[in-house]
Amino acid sequence: MPTKIEKDAITGRMTTGHEWDGIKELNTPLPKWWVYVYAATVVWAIGMFILYPALPLGTHASKGLLGYSSRADAMAGVAEMQALHAEQMKKIGALSFAEIERDPALREVALTAGRVIFANNCQPCHGPNGQGGPGFPALDTDVWRWGGSLEAIERTITHGIRSGDPEAHDSQMPNFGTDKLLKPEEIAAVADYVMTLYGKAQPSPATEAGAKIFADNCAPCHGANGEGNRDIGAPPLRSHVHLYGDTREAVIAQVTHPRMGVMPAWNKRLSPAEIKAVTLYVHSLGGGE
Ligand code: HEC
Ligand code: HEC
């Protein structure tokens, strides 16, 4: 029931004029500062509402006076990153390996790009971290068929191995078995000897026949002691790393009819800068020379 507005004796405040069963309501206004801040946020919100996309209109929202779009903003960020990446790749393409190695930040960029290029192109054959597998050489060891310097790796990647590219690495190991250059028992004997080169069998009078066959037929390519020959990609047979396995059966199979692995040329699929980046990455896996 409305009564008159009066001063409350106890608090000294004015009443609102409302009274219920003798209880009068005090007029306690909001603090001025609070009201101003509140009003300012309302004005601010209206401003934002006008300037930025706000009103949902079904498939899109009102555009706002500034024409701002978070998607355009994100795309601009992506374009900026891409431009930076392109610029850095251009730099990598223009510089020599020695110059890249002298610039740790740029080298880091190249290694990161190289890791991605490797994952996209090389991993199916050479394994996720270049550890290789049967028929596909490990790239993280210091055993190289064609060489482990940056320049050698770059050349291998660019032109490939038996890839058909005119500058590809190329060489053939004779089909000693299928072309009947050696008899099966000679192949078995030379396999027994080859196993002594990497310590899987002990040299004995029984392996001497194989040693002679090796000296006559294999040493011209693989070296007198099985040290290999990078000019023709003949692997070091005395190493503990074996592309096709270190068992007697594996060696016999290889000598009977060599697999002659093929590695694609990448010069048509990757830019020179990308090849440089993936070369630096492969070189960094542990076996780089
Ligand atoms: C289709 C399978 C395949 C793909 C894909 C492939 N490689 Fe190879 N790569 C091979 C084979 C097989 C060899 C060994 C050839 C031989 O017998 O000498 C090889 C050899 C190599 C060698 C020489 C190793 C040595 O010991 O000298 C390098 C370096 C190499 N690959 C790097 C790469 C890089 C980098 C990529 C990706 C850009 C790649 N490879 C993609 C199959 C492949
Ligand atoms: C004309 C050169 C040449 C001659 C001769 C030759 N090789 Fe090879 N050998 C190669 C090449 C090149 C490869 C790599 C081929 C491949 O990837 O299949 C190879 C690979 C091998 C491998 C596989 C190594 C691995 O990592 O698994 C074995 C084992 C081998 N040779 C044994 C022999 C034996 C034993 C003889 C003699 C009976 C012989 N080679 C004669 C060139 C030669």
Side-chain angles (χ1 to χ4, degrees):
M1 182 223 285
T3 56
K4 63 181 195 324
I5 297 173
E6 58 188 10
K7 198 170 185 163
D8 175 58
I10 300 168
T11 61
R13 289 233 181 102
M14 298 308 284
T15 64
T16 60
H18 296 152
E19 183 188 336
W20 293 272
D21 298 339
I23 301 171
K24 291 174 189 161
E25 186 185 14
L26 285 181
N27 185 0
T28 313
L30 291 160
K32 286 253 158 40
W33 66 265
W34 193 94
V35 175
Y36 290 142
V37 169
Y38 177 71
T41 59
V42 170
V43 172
W44 178 260
I46 293 171
M48 295 295 274
F49 206 79
I50 295 169
L51 291 176
Y52 286 96
L55 263 187
L57 301 173
T59 56
H60 61 287
S62 58
K63 288 223 175 353
L65 282 184
L66 291 183
Y68 172 84
S69 137
S70 56
R71 175 189 295 264
D73 204 36
M75 292 319 281
V78 169
E80 199 177 306
M81 289 303 294
Q82 280 172 339
L84 181 66
H85 180 73
E87 194 184 306
Q88 284 170 325
M89 287 306 281
K90 210 166 137 198
K91 220 161 147 193
I92 289 166
L95 295 179
S96 71
F97 283 122
E99 286 166 326
I100 297 170
E101 302 257 88
R102 257 182 267 129
D103 182 343
L106 191 64
R107 181 171 185 272
E108 213 38 58
V109 171
L111 285 179
T112 307
R115 185 178 307 122
V116 174
I117 295 165
F118 191 89
N120 289 339
N121 298 283
C122 324
Q123 177 171 319
C125 290
H126 290 287
N129 302 305
Q131 72 274 52
F136 301 107
L139 302 177
D140 58 354
T141 73
D142 55 4
V143 177
W144 296 96
R145 308 180 145 225
W146 301 95
S149 68
L150 285 164
E151 288 71 20
I153 296 172
E154 185 184 35
R155 170 165 177 210
T156 302
I157 299 170
T158 305
H159 300 290
I161 302 165
R162 305 179 191 99
S163 61
D165 180 285
E167 285 174 63
H169 287 306
D170 208 347
S171 67
Q172 296 294 322
M173 169 161 159
N175 299 314
F176 287 99
T178 49
D179 286 350
K180 302 207 167 26
L181 303 173
L182 290 176
K183 299 193 196 75
E185 55 274 23
E186 290 173 312
I187 292 175
V190 81
D192 287 336
Y193 171 72
V194 165
M195 284 166 66
T196 68
L197 292 173
Y198 46 83
K200 204 160 186 199
Q202 288 308 310
S204 71
T207 57
E208 259 161 40
K212 172 134 197 346
I213 299 168
F214 186 89
D216 293 345
N217 296 278
C218 322
C221 289
H222 289 286
N225 302 305
E227 60 272 23
N229 180 349
R230 289 176 173 187
D231 293 339
I232 54 167
L237 297 182
R238 65 180 180 190
S239 107
H240 54 283
V241 177
H242 306 270
L243 192 47
Y244 302 115
D246 64 357
T247 62
R248 191 167 188 261
E249 295 70 41
V251 178
I252 290 177
Q254 172 73 7
V255 178
T256 303
H257 191 87
R259 248 69 51 97
M260 309 316 304
V262 171
M263 149 90 178
W266 291 92
N267 50 8
K268 300 226 164 55
R269 278 172 265 191
L270 298 176
S271 71
E274 288 172 320
I275 290 179
K276 238 180 211 164
V278 77
T279 297
L280 280 159
Y281 173 70
V282 167
H283 189 262
S284 76
L285 290 176
E289 294 170 349

